[in-house]
């Protein structure tokens, strides 16, 4: 008998040895398993760090004009990315613009996502209001975010608040449909009926059992939506509905630079490239997060 066979046979009078199941890799390891996802994750971390520490990383003040260096090309001494039409350092403006753009996106996703999640949970849990809430969400889905931005800017005036409100309203129905679909699946589970049988209140059941089991699709959608919101927010600012001069914001910087596209293209091109990188990084990370959280793909 071979050594492997003798190891698998238990001694007389003793219980057979149990082999522990293989340990599943953690979420971060599953997330970074693909090289593209790892690069996207590193880019997101780098972009978030640049936005958070913009006041420490910026070489100059974002509002410091130097007309002598107006429209300086990239590579000019002391201006690695050049200067804008007012002679302001592009590196500083990009750091602060990234900060404002990502704050707008974060506020929109949080406000719209929380409201949409609440609507989705209520629609899934209370069948009497399900039809009414979902028809209301369908009405909201029929209006594009740009139209919301125009309407809110007409009421409150153009600015960051108008963009955040418009993108939040546009996010609510999308999140509500995602959460409702996930919550309806959870509602069919036996432990939900067991919790009801114990007399657990509605609010406690939703917070303790329903919401935690719907976090995976919520996180995936929020990550993917963040990239979309960045793009939409920059478009609204490009149209003049968002951040107003002299505030640095990527969409507003691209809008300002279009006036000098033939003389100093870097003023418009560099903010557009940064918007592209941000949106691409969050979209790729969202796709990788969806695969990492899918139990059918776990190894």
């Amino acid at each position: 008998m071979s050594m492997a066979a003798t190891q698998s046979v238990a001694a007389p009078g003793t219980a057979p040895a149990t082999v522990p199941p293989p340990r599943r890799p953690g979420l971060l390891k599953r997330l970074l398993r693909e090289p593209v996802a790892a690069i996207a994750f590193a880019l997101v971390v780098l972009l978030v760090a640049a936005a958070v520490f913009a006041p420490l990383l910026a070489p100059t003040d974002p509002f410091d004009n130097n007309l002598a260096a107006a429209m300086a090309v990239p590579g000019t001494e002391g201006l690695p990315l050049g200067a804008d039409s007012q002679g302001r350092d592009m590196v500083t403006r990009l750091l602060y613009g990234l900060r404002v753009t990502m704050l707008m996106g974060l506020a929109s996703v949080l406000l719209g996502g929380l409201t949409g999640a609440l609507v989705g949970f209520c629609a899934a849990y209370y069948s009497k209001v399900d039809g009414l809430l979902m028809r209301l969400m369908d009405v909201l889905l029929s209006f594009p975010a740009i139209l919301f931005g125009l309407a809110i800017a007409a009421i409150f005036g153009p600015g960051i608040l108008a963009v955040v409100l418009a993108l939040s309203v546009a996010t609510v129905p999308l999140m509500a449909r995602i959460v409702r679909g996930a919550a309806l699946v959870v509602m069919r589970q036996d432990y939900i009926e067991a919790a009801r049988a114990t007399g657990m209140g509605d609010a406690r059941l939703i917070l303790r059992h329903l919401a935690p089991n719907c976090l995976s699709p919520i996180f995936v959608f929020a990550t993917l939506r963040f990239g979309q919101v960045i793009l939409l927010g920059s478009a609204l600012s490009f149209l003049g509905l968002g951040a107003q001069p002299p505030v640095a914001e990527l969409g507003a910087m691209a809008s300002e630079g279009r006036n000098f596209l033939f003389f100093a293209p870097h003023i418009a091109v560099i903010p557009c490239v940064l918007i592209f990188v941000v949106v691409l990084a969050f979209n790729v990370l969202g796709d990788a997060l969806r695969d990492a959280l899918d139990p059918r793909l776990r190894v």
Side-chain angles (χ1 to χ4, degrees):
M1 185 180 293
S2 64
M3 183 178 296
T6 56
Q7 289 178 351
S8 62
V9 177
T14 62
T18 58
V19 179
R23 188 176 180 181
R24 290 177 177 175
L27 174 61
L28 186 60
K29 183 176 289 188
R30 297 198 305 271
L31 183 63
L32 303 181
R33 188 162 41 191
E34 296 293 333
V36 176
I39 294 173
F41 180 78
L43 271 176
V44 168
V45 172
L46 181 63
L47 292 168
V48 171
V52 171
F53 299 106
L56 300 177
L57 298 175
T60 61
D61 188 276
F63 307 113
D64 187 14
N65 295 343
N66 181 14
L67 296 180
M71 293 188 287
V73 297
T76 303
E77 184 178 356
L79 299 170
L81 293 181
D84 64 4
S85 60
Q86 302 296 321
R88 296 170 294 200
D89 184 13
M90 285 293 294
V91 173
T92 299
R93 298 287 290 178
L94 288 171
L95 288 171
Y96 277 89
L98 179 64
R99 182 187 181 95
V100 173
T101 301
M102 295 190 74
L103 281 177
M104 286 196 309
L106 180 62
S108 302
V109 171
L110 285 179
L111 182 59
L114 290 176
T115 305
L118 180 61
V119 172
F121 285 131
C122 290
Y125 194 84
Y126 301 105
S127 57
K128 293 182 179 180
V129 299
D130 183 16
L132 176 63
L133 290 176
M134 287 300 101
R135 298 298 75 76
L136 179 60
M137 296 300 104
D138 291 339
V139 172
L140 291 178
L141 279 174
S142 64
F143 294 96
I146 299 294
L147 187 58
F148 279 127
L150 291 171
I152 294 174
I155 298 173
F156 297 101
I160 295 177
L161 177 61
V163 173
V164 171
L165 290 178
L167 297 179
S168 299
V169 174
T171 302
V172 169
L174 298 173
M175 178 64 84
R177 294 171 73 92
I178 294 291
V179 172
R180 176 182 176 272
L184 285 176
V185 175
V186 176
M187 290 289 295
R188 301 191 186 101
Q189 304 302 316
D190 293 336
Y191 59 83
I192 297 294
E193 295 297 329
R196 282 175 169 172
T198 60
M200 183 178 294
D202 293 349
R204 187 181 176 191
L205 191 150
I206 292 174
L207 293 176
R208 186 171 180 178
H209 295 290
L210 193 57
N213 288 283
C214 297
L215 289 180
S216 294
I218 290 176
F219 284 151
V220 172
F221 173 78
T223 305
L224 291 171
R225 182 61 181 171
F226 189 83
Q228 299 171 2
V229 164
I230 292 293
L231 188 59
L232 289 171
S234 299
L236 288 171
S237 294
F238 185 87
L239 295 175
L241 303 177
Q244 301 299 303
V247 176
E249 197 276 334
L250 297 181
M253 292 172 63
S255 178
E256 177 188 356
R258 65 179 174 173
N259 298 321
F260 312 99
L261 199 57
F262 295 102
F263 309 103
H266 66 279
I267 301 176
V269 171
I270 296 178
C272 291
V273 170
L274 185 55
I275 293 172
F276 170 78
V277 171
V278 173
V279 175
L280 180 63
F282 275 96
N283 284 346
V284 173
L285 182 63
D287 287 336
L289 185 61
R290 178 185 56 197
D291 294 341
L293 292 174
D294 191 343
R296 296 170 297 181
L297 301 178
R298 293 182 184 177
V299 179

